[in-house]
Amino acid sequence: MSAPAATADATRGMSTREFFDEVRAGRLVVQRCAGCGALAVPPKVVCASCEGVSWSRVPLGGDGEVTSYTVIRVPPAQFAAQAPYVVTVARMVEGVSLLGRLTGVPVDAVRVGMPVRFVGSLANADPPVIAFRPR
Amino acid sequence: MIDSEGPLGAGHPRPLRPGQCGRGNGVEQRADGAAAETEEQEDRLLALDPRESVRRGQRHDLIHRPSPGAQEVQIVDAAVDQQPAAHLLAPGPPPRGAPVAPGAYDKLADCADRPVSQVHARRRERGHEMRVLGDHQDDARRARRREDPVGFVESPRDRLLEKDGFTVLGRQASVRLVQVVGCADDECVDAWIGGGGLVGAEGREPPEAPAVRLRPRRISARERDPDRATESPGSASMEGCEPAASHHAQTEGARARPRVEQSNRRATAHVRNRHVGPSYVPFRSRATSDTIGSVRKVAVVGLGVTKFGKHERTCAELFAEAGLDALMDAGVHPRQIQGVYVGNVVGEAGERQLHLGPQVTSALGIPEVAATRFETACASSHAAFRHALFEIASGAANVLLVGGAERVLTMSTERSTEVFAYASDAVFEQPAGLTFPGVFALIARAHMAKHGTTEEQMAHVAVKNHRHGVLNPKAQFQKEITLEQVLRSAKVADPLKLYDCCPFSDGAAAVVLASEEVARNTRKPVWVLGSAQAGDSMCLHDKRDLARAVATERAAVTAYRQAGLGPQDVDVVELHDCFTIAEIVATEGLGLCEPGTGGIAAEKGETSLGGRIPVNVSGGLKAKGHPIGATGAAQVAEITAQLRGEAGRRQVEGATVGLTHTLGGNTATVLVSLFGREPR
């Protein structure tokens, strides 16, 4: 077999830093496998579906629904002032899931299946945190 | 090759729940996807059937893995299916010029060229429902697959390789450049046409030409020579042909190769690799080995566990206490051990201590002995155990001391919560404020939504394990609690409450592992029958199904296969109940109860001491305590005591086979080991 050839950096997808730079700017941009179309969050080097190594970037619409959630009442030290808060896993309509904070809803009113929308990064969060609101 | 019924090794012939796992039996019919439930059931059954496991193992042998994006294959010879098979006529082929409807060619299973069992046919069919060939993630079929994943087969490519029928179905016009996914040796070419390469897959090109299907076939050395292959009589290069011309060339090619045409009217193609990217060494690889432990037999010959709870001594001192107990139990002098494997997770935060290994051996008076620290989050000492097992099984050592130690009560609850969260993803999860109770709360909520599991059922797990803990003098909590106490305890991360959570604990545990020649001279050796580790996506949101313990299933299948046993052979189980929901999900993943019924099993007392399958008779992490780095070894020690018949008041009568299961982090690492009174 021939020696491995260099792969162009342009096809290597994005870094988590770039992903969250977009989140900070209010956009949801994810990696898409050039081979099979699978979306990847967090960004991957090799596609888990087809093992492809070429990636493009696609923006997501931002709509999704809650697949699971929890109300954190005993937080890590640095989040003490924010508790209780809702952490949710939301499946976006494009098929990929994201974990983030759900705000703008009473903590007891969250339900599985609730339609939510990505609204950028959580206010004052550094590093940035994916934030959703009910839609 | 893949489905060969050759020697299967020691496989347990009995399925998980005879008569209950099949289609429609024992499956609660749900309005929202009864079919998917059934498929999932069936896949679990298949996965737990050792014969199927062996087939999967063989499949892993076929993973040669040139990257699909890394190679191109030029079709240098092909024959054409002049009369499309029936499956191509219904619903197609579409009229000339019409766009190909997505899904028109996803019934490849229907054209299997040999008899297959119904089950296998279904699997094939499902493989194609996934639309690997140029699909989109937003394709309805794919979305469905991601929601209701089936079995242990991870990638579409695996499924395709699983079939020896072929992976590519398309139109000649586009079969000019395809991507190769495997070209292992001179025997076969596994190929599919990657995204966009297949006409019809994305509806981009009209089906001008007859259908072409590629099949794996033997390739002679002569055929592998590109120049000679292209010059061989009757072959026709398709490269550069326009659809119509290509059709013509193909037709001629087919005429010149009547053998293929007559044999089965099926197109074959010779492909020539043209490497344009990284290539990979063609070696045979398995995801997990099924041979561990069969090289040399290994036994647990001694055990030692400190009391769990608050300690003022250092990790090294705690480990030395447990280690010395284990050595004395085994009748082994410290100078006789050839190495120490120690699991420890938060030494940096809890004690500002890295490099625990030599500290331990120093405390044991054997500073010259090799000592290594292991970290796989809460599964650390189980991973240490498995690697010690490797060393002895391989013949590199005869006696090793393995275990773990942890001190976390040096930290406040808030600080501990933060430090434990380091085992979740530092980019996606920690900044969002996700805690470990939060991780399992997300799993619990998903399980409740999918299976109807209730908070009461989870509470039953806590009550049961506390009841067991009363019987264990080493347990951190030796008092019973009531259902009401659990349900009324403070909320930590909804729906988990304080009594759904295991405590923070200090403690250590150790066992002595020995080769057969040593073990035969010890008092009551307990034999390691199997030990497997498996993984899952690190990020919670990246896992396929939060309600399913996928890594547990994977590790369990491998461990059962190594032992030649099934879940129904297990008499006593120590599993990772860091939170009550974790026990429920694990009992399902280990095959101890049907998917979705883990909560019901706890409620009915099936997992209690004296029940159908006693789980966590030590009190589990919930009552015994969870010094995270020591937990895996403590579980092994408990099972060893049980199989020796020395577990006192919590003894499971007549136990001959035991199982330990340890989770690491947010379920991304799982180890499962099986033990027996007798070597296998």
Side-chain angles (χ1 to χ4, degrees), chain A residues 2 32 39 49 68 70 85 101, chain B residues 136-137 279 432-433 442 494:
Chain A
S2 65
R32 182 180 185 276
L39 303 177
S49 295
S68 191
T70 180
Y85 52 85
R101 287 278 191 93
Chain B
H136 285 288
Q137 189 145 5
S279 58
L442 288 168
D494 303 8

Side-chain angles (χ1 to χ4, degrees), chain B residues 65-376:
Chain B
R65 304 202 172 204
S67 162
Q71 288 187 305
E72 289 184 2
V73 169
Q74 177 188 1
I75 304 279
V76 295
D77 183 13
V80 181
D81 199 347
Q82 296 286 352
Q83 290 182 285
H87 71 280
L88 289 175
L89 298 171
R96 178 179 294 261
V100 178
Y105 300 108
D106 62 353
K107 297 292 185 186
L108 192 57
D110 298 342
C111 60
D113 58 351
R114 58 178 178 75
V116 291
S117 71
Q118 190 179 13
V119 165
H120 211 82
R122 282 171 50 79
R123 294 181 58 74
R124 289 177 161 209
E125 186 175 315
R126 268 186 281 147
H128 277 272
E129 281 179 354
M130 289 188 299
R131 300 281 298 165
V132 177
L133 309 180
D135 68 344
H136 285 288
Q137 189 145 5
D138 53 3
D139 181 288
R141 287 188 176 85
R142 185 179 178 103
R144 192 177 69 201
R145 170 187 168 257
R146 292 178 74 84
E147 279 180 13
D148 294 301
V150 286
F152 303 87
V153 182
E154 281 298 295
S155 72
R157 186 195 49 74
D158 284 347
R159 286 171 184 269
L160 294 171
L161 282 179
E162 192 168 22
K163 304 187 304 357
D164 61 352
F166 210 52
T167 55
V168 175
L169 176 63
R171 293 282 161 179
Q172 163 187 339
S174 71
V175 188
R176 292 190 306 190
L177 288 177
V178 300
Q179 293 171 319
V180 154
V181 296
C183 184
D185 43 43
D186 287 348
E187 289 189 346
C188 70
V189 171
D190 301 315
W192 91 74
I193 298 182
L198 173 64
V199 175
E202 295 181 286
R204 294 190 313 190
E205 298 179 52
E208 297 277 329
V212 167
R213 181 167 36 179
L214 306 181
R215 303 183 64 223
R217 62 184 300 279
R218 289 177 183 280
I219 294 184
S220 68
R222 177 173 162 273
E223 286 170 328
R224 285 179 71 85
D225 182 330
D227 295 327
R228 297 181 68 176
T230 46
E231 290 165 10
S232 67
S235 69
S237 171
M238 298 171 67
E239 187 172 30
C241 291
E242 293 304 311
S246 173
H247 180 188
H248 180 69
Q250 285 299 302
T251 308
E252 289 200 340
R255 280 197 202 106
R257 301 176 71 248
R259 181 183 60 80
V260 172
E261 196 175 17
Q262 287 172 3
S263 62
N264 55 8
R265 294 188 297 106
R266 184 159 295 158
T268 63
H270 304 183
V271 296
R272 184 177 72 187
N273 283 357
R274 191 176 75 211
H275 296 278
V276 296
S279 58
Y280 297 86
V281 181
F283 74 104
R284 291 172 183 270
S285 143
R286 288 175 186 232
T288 48
S289 170
D290 60 358
T291 58
I292 296 306
S294 64
V295 182
R296 290 210 306 172
K297 290 175 179 139
V298 182
V300 182
V301 298
L303 63 93
V305 183
T306 68
K307 185 168 187 329
F308 287 178
K310 170 90 174 149
H311 284 286
E312 296 301 333
R313 285 171 292 161
T314 66
C315 273
E317 291 165 343
L318 290 171
F319 186 90
E321 176 194 325
L324 188 60
D325 283 353
L327 290 166
M328 291 172 66
D329 180 34
V332 172
H333 190 276
R335 297 229 172 269
Q336 290 178 298
I337 60 176
Q338 293 158 296
V340 177
Y341 288 39
V342 54
N344 174 256
V345 185
V346 299
E348 296 93 319
E351 294 188 322
R352 295 171 181 249
Q353 183 65 63
L354 290 172
H355 208 191
L356 183 61
Q359 211 183 18
V360 163
T361 47
S362 297
L364 283 169
I366 45 170
E368 69 279 8
V369 171
T372 310
R373 172 188 169 194
F374 282 73
E375 191 271 310
T376 56

